[in-house]
Amino acid sequence: MLDDFLIRALLAGIGIAMVAGPAGCFIVWRRLAYFGETIAHSALLGVAIAVLVNLHLVIGIFVTAVVVVLAMYYLERRDTLPTDTLLGLLSHGGLAVGLVLLSFFPDMRLDLQGLLFGDILAVSRLDLAVVWGGGAIALGMLWWIWRPLLAATVSPDLATVARLHPERALLVFGILLAAVIAAAIKIVGVLLIVALLIIPSATVRRFTSSPEQMAAGAAVAGVIAVAGGLLASATLDTPSGPSIVVTALAVFLVTRLGRPRREVNAR
Amino acid sequence: MGVRRGERWIVRHVDITVDRGQLIYLIGANGAGKSTCAKAILGLLDIDEGTIERMSSLEVGYVPQRLALNPTLPLTVRRLMTLTGRFPKDHIESALAAVGLDRLGDPPVTTLSGGEFQRLLLARALIHRPDLLVLDEPAQGVDTAGSGVVLDLIQGIRRDLRCGVLLISHDLHAATSTGDDVVVLVPHEHDEPPPARPDPPAHLSRREARKL
Ligand SMILES: Nc1ncnc2c1ncn2[C@@H]1O[C@H](COP(=O)(O)OP(=O)(O)O)[C@@H](O)[C@H]1O
Ligand SMILES: [Mg+2]
């Protein structure tokens, strides 16, 4: 059964969406969309490095992304440049250096289109193992840092006073984000991965009344988007990343059709 | 204790002691450095001069001056109570009851009024059963009658938990009549001796802190 490329892509996509949903909630709550873009763009540099030193692509992307996360944490504390300027620097710097490096390997059968927009044929058995193994570790990590991370999101000061070490939780979350993005690149692509993080959580926000509900709902919405998008991609022969994002967007819009539900005060 | 940003001292020569069961006021004009003092005492920012001594294993409750919530984060009253720790249901209920929010149901916190939200933050702080409670202008944005209610609440909590309370406020009148001690932050342009102050009321010693 795993010989079928579509089944492999579906299984990998579902695994990714189950982590991307909860992680994406924190992107929305903490307004980290641009941070996510930066990690995603650095992935091309990661691919180039993986090719250079002959690593598995996902590992190369993950290691590069972790370096970018650490650089970001360091620069934010040291440098006086505003955060979005720093992110722009790292984001487009990483993208450009990656593209230049990759152009030195014209013989490599590297599919740039696939890297940027995702490729449904790209998921190997090894990728599947990496995605599910990494996904399980990522979910475990998120479980472990959930309370400190949520407290730090509401108020770093309250988290610190309660000795929850918010800095540590934020660093772990950055690494986790690097892992999610590295795993998702093959299917969704560098340019659209942040959409898979953000749209599912934005979709379920108004149906939920606790952070945990929203995280679970976003995982479900993400799985629907990935499954629908991959099936459409296989049937219509469209690129997989855009197909997934279009599906996610369609689900988002459908849930908006009804009359906006006001938050009810229980009194 | 003093805190500096660049060349400028935000607060300097501040001397505050809070003992168990005491209510200590920290008073000063806007921008005098009250919140900065509170954060230094809580270990939220590094001090550039002096020392801070804490009882070992001190449990601290903190109610910040303001807390901006991102509306995309769904939080109800009861979920907020367990933000920084797990607590049994009856602890949550009794903490909410202590601030008069127990019969509210479990609405999203974004629907609370300013005063209700302040009381919720107070309940969230006291569920940790703190030895020291640091309150940064808890009556802010509450009318005069409401601030009396807040003060009564704080007095009740201090009695029940036998905790020390550091209360940041503008209300010099309430401070001199109910505080065990009042620390006044006075802004100063130069590092000169502070100007003479009227004598403090006989029943309390007033310490002065100067800001350069
Ligand atoms: N991180 C900071 N960097 C520079 N200046 C600051 C910082 N935090 C506070 N200040 C300045 O310190 C002064 C005291 O602020 P604050 O402690 O909030 O006063 P208060 O709470 O008494 O109104 C203000 O002038 C403020 O602008
Ligand atoms: Mg203040």
Side-chain angles (χ1 to χ4, degrees):
Chain A
M1 187 180 82
L2 292 180
D3 292 340
D4 189 337
F5 73 92
L6 181 56
I7 300 288
R8 284 199 305 269
L10 273 173
L11 286 177
I14 288 168
I16 290 160
M18 280 176 5
V19 190
C25 287
F26 278 101
I27 303 242
V28 171
W29 297 334
R30 301 187 58 85
R31 304 179 205 278
L32 290 178
Y34 200 14
F35 184 59
E37 289 288 358
T38 304
I39 300 178
H41 285 178
S42 76
L44 273 190
L45 182 58
V47 171
I49 291 172
V51 170
L52 270 174
V53 299
N54 204 9
L55 268 176
H56 189 269
L57 280 196
V58 173
I59 307 287
I61 295 171
F62 173 65
V63 171
T64 315
V66 168
V67 171
V68 167
V69 168
L70 295 178
M72 217 26 238
Y73 274 80
Y74 178 78
L75 289 176
E76 237 187 347
R77 269 159 202 75
R78 286 300 155 103
D79 219 290
T80 47
L81 286 174
T83 302
D84 59 338
T85 307
L86 281 174
L87 285 172
L89 207 102
L90 283 172
S91 168
H92 299 111
L95 189 65
V97 174
L99 285 170
V100 167
L101 280 180
L102 283 177
S103 70
F104 289 135
F105 305 99
D107 305 334
M108 278 295 307
R109 293 190 300 108
L110 258 181
D111 171 17
L112 193 58
Q113 173 101 1
L115 283 172
L116 293 178
F117 298 110
D119 181 0
I120 194 171
L121 297 172
V123 181
S124 67
R125 280 165 172 254
L126 178 59
D127 292 334
L128 201 52
V130 170
V131 163
W132 277 83
I137 294 174
L139 274 185
M141 276 176 18
L142 196 56
W143 179 264
W144 174 52
I145 59 167
W146 186 266
R147 189 182 304 279
L149 189 59
L150 195 67
T153 301
V154 173
S155 160
D157 285 352
L158 289 184
T160 305
V161 169
R163 293 188 289 266
L164 289 177
H165 305 288
E167 295 290 307
R168 193 173 64 193
L170 290 178
L171 199 57
V172 171
F173 178 68
I175 293 168
L176 187 149
L177 208 55
V180 173
I181 289 175
I185 290 286
K186 282 207 166 177
I187 289 188
V188 193
V190 167
L191 293 184
L192 292 173
I193 171 67
V194 172
L196 183 63
L197 289 162
I198 286 177
I199 299 176
S201 28
T203 304
V204 298
R205 164 60 184 102
R206 62 203 204 117
F207 305 108
T208 57
S209 57
S210 78
E212 292 74 19
Q213 267 179 24
M214 183 163 157
V220 172
V223 167
I224 293 171
V226 167
L230 285 175
L231 289 175
S233 165
T235 356
L236 307 171
D237 197 22
T238 48
S240 58
S243 310
I244 289 171
V245 174
V246 167
T247 313
L249 200 60
V251 175
F252 173 81
L253 290 175
V254 166
T255 61
R256 296 275 127 163
L257 281 184
R259 215 162 357 123
R261 199 188 70 167
R262 291 254 184 82
E263 285 202 321
V264 198
N265 193 331
R267 263 176 298 179
Chain B
M1 176 270 283
V3 178
R4 190 174 57 193
R5 284 286 172 273
E7 287 303 295
R8 180 170 151 252
W9 288 94
I10 294 177
V11 289
R12 205 172 185 191
H13 308 308
V14 180
D15 180 8
I16 301 175
T17 309
V18 187
D19 283 326
R20 181 170 284 290
Q22 277 192 327
L23 172 59
I24 308 295
Y25 275 86
L26 181 56
I27 303 262
N30 274 329
K34 304 182 294 297
S35 298
T36 304
C37 277
K39 286 185 179 173
I41 289 165
L42 293 163
L44 296 175
L45 46 83
D46 295 330
I47 57 173
D48 298 289
E49 164 181 288
T51 52
I52 291 171
E53 283 172 39
R54 291 160 158 246
M55 190 183 88
S56 65
S57 74
L58 184 77
E59 189 66 41
V60 184
Y62 174 41
V63 177
Q65 185 167 8
R66 61 183 71 79
L67 186 63
L69 288 174
N70 181 341
T72 57
L73 175 60
L75 271 184
T76 64
V77 164
R78 278 169 177 74
R79 183 62 187 83
L80 186 76
M81 293 298 289
T82 54
L83 184 70
T84 51
R86 298 182 60 150
F87 301 100
K89 246 192 149 73
D90 51 323
H91 285 208
I92 297 174
E93 292 312 315
S94 60
L96 285 173
V99 300
L101 289 178
D102 50 327
R103 301 219 245 137
L104 210 58
D106 196 17
V109 288
T110 45
T111 63
L112 298 183
S113 72
E116 286 170 334
F117 187 58
Q118 282 291 344
R119 281 186 281 149
L120 176 60
L121 289 181
L122 186 57
R124 196 211 63 82
L126 66 90
I127 198 172
H128 285 265
R129 309 209 140 258
D131 307 299
L132 170 65
L133 198 52
V134 178
L135 311 168
D136 197 344
E137 303 198 29
Q140 198 190 35
V142 179
D143 54 30
T144 328
S147 74
V149 173
V150 172
L151 187 56
D152 289 344
L153 259 175
I154 294 165
Q155 295 285 33
I157 291 164
R158 176 165 72 117
R159 264 193 311 275
D160 293 346
L161 295 180
R162 290 204 327 110
C163 62
V165 179
L166 180 64
L167 179 54
I168 296 178
S169 153
H170 285 295
D171 191 348
L172 188 60
H173 178 70
T176 48
S177 58
T178 59
D180 294 306
D181 196 359
V182 182
V183 177
V184 184
L185 290 182
V186 189
H188 280 286
E189 294 303 320
H190 310 289
D191 200 1
E192 290 167 0
R197 293 252 128 201
D199 281 339
H203 68 282
L204 54 84
S205 67
R206 179 189 292 166
R207 269 176 254 165
E208 293 223 312
R210 286 176 298 142
K211 187 186 127 191
L212 183 67

